[in-house]
Amino acid sequence: MEDIKMATPTITNEHLAKAITYSQYRDMIDKLLAENKTTGTNHSEDMVEYTRMNMHRMRRVEKTVLEDDLIQVLLSVQTKMVWVVLTEAWCGDAAQNVPAIVKFADASPLIEVKLLLRDENPEVMDAYLTNGGRSIPKLIALDAETLEVLGTWGPRPEPAQQLFLDLKAQNVPYQEFAEKLHGWYAKDKTRTLQQEFICLISKWSELTAPADMSVARCS
C-alpha cells in the first residue's frame, strides 16, 4: 500500500543518526524480552507475549527467498536510497513485513534500511498517518543525498490491508481477527509484498537493466 510522493523532507539527518539497523533492532528485542519487556511504554503480559510471537514470525520471514524479477529490479537500482521504517516489536504486521523489506534492501548496494521506533518519533509518525491512524510498519523511501521523500509504503500489502478493513468493519473478535490476518501472511509467504516492491522501486529509482535483463516498468 503506497501513499503519494511527497517533496518536503520530514526526516532529518538527526533522525537518521539515531535510527538503528535491523540487527540492532533484533538484539534490542532479545534484551527486552529477557527482562519481560518490549519496546514502547506498555510492558503488559499481553504485549510481551505478542513480542515473543513476533520473534518467531520474524525468524520465519528472514528465510524468505526473493523472486527473480524482484532481484532483477534491485540489481538495476541506480538511485542511492535510505528506507526509513517506523516499527515496534509488539506489532504483528511489522514482524511479518520488516524482515522481508530488509532482505530486499540487502540485495541492492544502493539501498540502506534505518529503523525508528514509532512511539519515540511521533513527529515522523504523524507525518505519515494511514487513514488518520499511526499504523505501522511504515516505510518512507528517501533519496540518500537530498533526503527528498520518493514515496512510502505501509502498513500492509494491499490485500492484507483490505482484509484488515473488512474484519474491522465486521467487529470480528480480536483472536479471530489476528488468526485471519496472520493466516493470510502465512499463506502468501511475502509474494504480494515482493510484487508490490517491484512496482514501487521502479517508481522510486532510476533503473538500469543489467546485461541480458529487461526491467519492466510499472505504470
Side-chain angles (χ1 to χ4, degrees), residues 53-54 57 60-61 90-97 135-137 153 155-168 170 172-190 192:
M53 291 173 61
N54 286 339
R57 291 170 176 144
R60 185 180 66 248
V61 177
W90 43 260
C91 175
D93 290 291
Q96 297 282 13
N97 292 289
S135 301
I136 53 174
W153 174 92
R156 304 170 186 89
E158 202 62 59
Q161 177 68 1
Q162 189 57 56
L163 175 62
F164 172 88
L165 294 173
D166 291 345
L167 294 172
K168 187 175 180 181
Q170 297 165 23
V172 171
Y174 174 78
Q175 189 61 38
E176 181 183 351
F177 190 110
E179 287 176 1
K180 288 183 180 295
L181 185 58
H182 288 290
W184 181 89
Y185 280 117
K187 184 177 180 180
D188 186 72
K189 293 179 169 41
T190 80
T192 299

Side-chain angles (χ1 to χ4, degrees), residues 66 70 74 83 100-108 190 193-194 197:
L66 302 190
L70 175 58
L74 288 165
W83 290 356
I101 289 170
V102 170
K103 195 156 191 174
F104 301 169
D106 285 347
S108 169
T190 80
L193 186 67
Q194 294 194 46
F197 268 75

Side-chain angles (χ1 to χ4, degrees), residues 27-47:
D27 289 345
M28 176 182 66
I29 298 172
D30 283 337
K31 290 175 182 176
L32 287 168
L33 284 175
E35 301 172 1
N36 287 316
K37 294 181 179 179
T38 184
T39 57
T41 57
N42 184 348
H43 304 296
S44 68
E45 186 176 336
D46 283 346
M47 293 294 271

Side-chain angles (χ1 to χ4, degrees), residues 76-132:
S76 304
V77 166
Q78 296 298 303
T79 305
K80 190 174 182 181
M81 291 184 281
V82 178
W83 290 356
V84 176
V85 182
L86 292 158
T87 185
E88 292 284 350
W90 43 260
C91 175
D93 290 291
Q96 297 282 13
N97 292 289
V98 173
I101 289 170
V102 170
K103 195 156 191 174
F104 301 169
D106 285 347
S108 169
L110 296 183
I111 304 174
E112 182 180 14
V113 174
K114 297 277 193 177
L115 304 182
L116 289 173
L117 295 180
R118 182 193 75 170
D119 294 349
E120 293 181 6
N121 297 276
E123 72 286 355
V124 178
M125 183 72 260
D126 287 348
Y128 299 98
L129 301 177
T130 301
N131 299 325

Side-chain angles (χ1 to χ4, degrees), residues 137-149:
K138 192 73 172 187
L139 182 154
I140 304 101
L142 305 177
D143 182 297
E145 303 300 328
T146 65
L147 301 191
E148 174 192 0
V149 177

